[in-house]
Amino acid sequence: MTSSNHDPRTLAVHAGLEPDPVTGAIAPNIATATNFTFQPKDVAFSANFNPDMTALPYFYSRWTNPTVRQLEQRVAALEGTEDGIATASGMAASAAILFGVLKAGDHIIISDVCYPGVRELVSEVLADLGIQSSAVNLSDLAAARAAMRPNTKLIHAETPCNPLMRLTDIAALAAIAHEGGALLSVDSTVATPVATQPLTLGADLVMHSLTKFMNGHGDVLGGIVVGKKHLIEPIRARIAIRLGASLAAQSAWLILRGIDSLYPRMAMIETNALAVAQGLERHRAVARVIYPGLSSHPQYDLAKRQMKNFSGMMTFQTKAQSDEVANALAGEGGTKLVHYAVSLGHQRSNLVLMRTDELMRSTYFLEGAALDDYRHYAGDGVFRLSIGLEAPEDILADLFAVLDRFV
C-alpha cells in the first residue's frame, strides 16, 4: 500500500495496512488466534530451521501474528528500514537487542544516563552473564572513543536521554562504533520517528517503548526493535521467540490506532511543550528548564540539526526544596490537570520528581566529573514533565497555581 516515496505522514496512516480481502474492511483486523493452519512442508518446529520467521504461512503467534506484523511493518517504514520485531514492552525490546547481539566475553558501551531499567539490566544482569560494560557520557565523543575495546560489540545510546534530556550526536557516534567493528543501537522513544530517524544517521538498530508517544494514549504496553532484516531476523529467532516476550494482537491494534495520529499529535505536543517550557522558564519559582526546543538547552545547535520535532518531554528544577514542591503538586490542593504519575508520551500531561541522590544510589553510581555533569542538568532533582494535548495556557495555569506558593 505504500512505498519509500510516500511522505512519513502518509506512512504513519497506511504502511503495513491491507484491506481485508474478504470484507474489504480498512481498519486492521485483530487476529486473536494463537495458532494457524499450515502445510507440513512449509514450517519446521524449531526456529533453527526457519530462516525467515515472517514468511507465510503464519505458524504460531509467539513467532508471528498478522496484527503484530502490520505494526512491525509500519514502524519499520516510519524509520526508513526493512524490518522490525514487536515486543511486550519497551524493556523487552531493549533486552532483545542486548541478548540478541551480546554473548559472554563481549563488551558494551552504554550511556551513563539512560532509562534506569536498561542501565540496571546491563550493570547487573549482563554482568552476571560475563558481559562487560562501560557507562559513558555519550555526548562526549572523545570519551566514547576512549571506551572502545577490541571486544566491544555494541554501543547503546538514548537521545534525548531520560531523564536529563541530554542529546547524543548519532552520526558521529555511529562512525566511532563502526570504526571499532561494533553496532550502534539507539533508544529513540522520546524523539519518535517524527523528530529523528537514527538509521538514516548511521545507527544499526532503533528501539522504541511503544507505550509512550507512539501509542500516545496511556492504555497499552509495547516495544519494538527495527533495522535491516539481516540484523532483525537473528534477534527474532534467537531471543524473541525463545524468551517469549511477544506482543498481544490486541495491544498491537491499539498501538496501530495510536500511530494513525502520530504526526498531528506530535506537532501539537511540540507546540504545547515549547509554550510550557518558555512559561516555566519565566516563573520565579523555577531555577532551570531543560527542553531541546529552548535556545538555553546546552546542545541546542545539535537539537536543531538532529530533531525535526522537539517532542513533548522536559525537565525543570525549582528554587525551593524539590520534595516540598512535589508534595504540593501531588497532594490535596495540587495540580488538577497535570497528574503526578510516571511514564510519559500520553495525551494527558504528567510529571514526577526524579531525585538525584536516589538515582545515584540505585542506578547510575556516578562520581567526579560524571556526577558534576549530571548535576549540571539535574541539580539535586528534576521534575520530569511530559506534555499532552491540553491547551498550554491551561497546563501553565495548573502548574502556576502550585508554583506561585513558592515564590
Side-chain angles (χ1 to χ4, degrees), residues 197-279:
Q197 292 178 313
L199 297 172
T200 67
L201 298 173
D204 300 287
L205 295 166
V206 175
M207 63 139 297
H208 294 275
S209 172
L210 298 174
T211 312
K212 312 301 194 302
F213 290 104
M214 297 282 272
N215 173 55
H217 291 77
D219 53 10
V220 64
L221 295 173
I224 197 163
V225 184
V226 298
K228 294 288 189 181
K229 195 173 184 68
H230 77 273
L231 294 175
I232 294 297
E233 276 302 302
I235 294 174
R236 187 188 303 275
R238 182 166 179 254
I239 299 302
I241 289 174
R242 287 165 176 155
L243 295 187
S246 306
L247 185 67
Q250 295 91 334
S251 297
W253 187 91
L254 285 170
I255 296 166
L256 282 165
R257 175 218 56 188
I259 293 176
D260 282 343
S261 64
L262 178 64
Y263 273 79
R265 272 194 298 105
M266 293 308 297
M268 185 172 180
I269 284 172
E270 181 196 39
T271 298
N272 289 353
L274 182 58
V276 171
Q278 291 170 336

Side-chain angles (χ1 to χ4, degrees), residues 142-207:
R145 189 181 298 277
M148 291 291 292
R149 302 177 186 174
N151 61 334
T152 302
K153 295 297 187 290
L154 180 69
I155 300 178
H156 181 73
E158 179 183 13
T159 182
C161 72
N162 178 10
L164 288 190
M165 300 304 295
R166 191 175 67 195
L167 309 180
T168 296
D169 186 328
I170 296 170
L173 191 62
I176 292 171
H178 296 158
E179 286 168 10
L183 299 176
L184 173 63
S185 60
V186 176
D187 182 340
S188 196
T189 295
V190 174
T192 80
V194 177
T196 308
Q197 292 178 313
L199 297 172
T200 67
L201 298 173
D204 300 287
L205 295 166
V206 175
M207 63 139 297

Side-chain angles (χ1 to χ4, degrees), residues 271-281 314 385 387 392 395-396 399:
T271 298
N272 289 353
L274 182 58
V276 171
Q278 291 170 336
L280 284 171
E281 222 175 19
M314 68 190 70
L385 173 61
I387 300 299
I395 298 171
L396 284 170
L399 293 169

Side-chain angles (χ1 to χ4, degrees), residues 316-401:
F316 66 92
Q317 300 172 42
T318 55
K319 296 175 182 176
Q321 209 281 331
S322 55
D323 278 308
E324 293 181 13
V325 179
N327 290 334
L329 289 164
E332 187 175 349
T335 52
K336 303 297 187 294
L337 299 177
V338 181
H339 300 290
Y340 194 88
V342 296
S343 201
L344 54 101
H346 305 157
Q347 76 274 39
R348 299 181 183 89
S349 299
N350 60 48
L351 89 169
V352 68
L353 173 62
M354 311 286 283
R355 299 178 182 87
T356 296
D357 287 345
E358 181 179 317
L359 284 168
M360 292 307 122
R361 292 195 305 270
S362 66
T363 306
Y364 297 134
F365 307 106
L366 302 179
E367 298 176 341
L371 180 57
D372 291 342
D373 183 77
Y374 188 98
R375 291 190 184 277
H376 174 67
Y377 282 84
D380 291 330
V382 292
F383 290 93
R384 188 186 68 189
L385 173 61
S386 175
I387 300 299
L389 299 176
E390 306 93 344
E393 299 84 1
D394 290 334
I395 298 171
L396 284 170
D398 196 41
L399 293 169
F400 288 175

Side-chain angles (χ1 to χ4, degrees), residues 1 13-14 16-31 67 70 74 253 256 260:
M1 292 294 293
V13 178
H14 287 281
L17 176 65
E18 293 287 349
D20 185 280
V22 176
T23 66
I26 295 173
N29 290 326
I30 307 178
T67 311
Q70 284 186 306
R74 185 170 301 182
W253 187 91
L256 282 165
D260 282 343

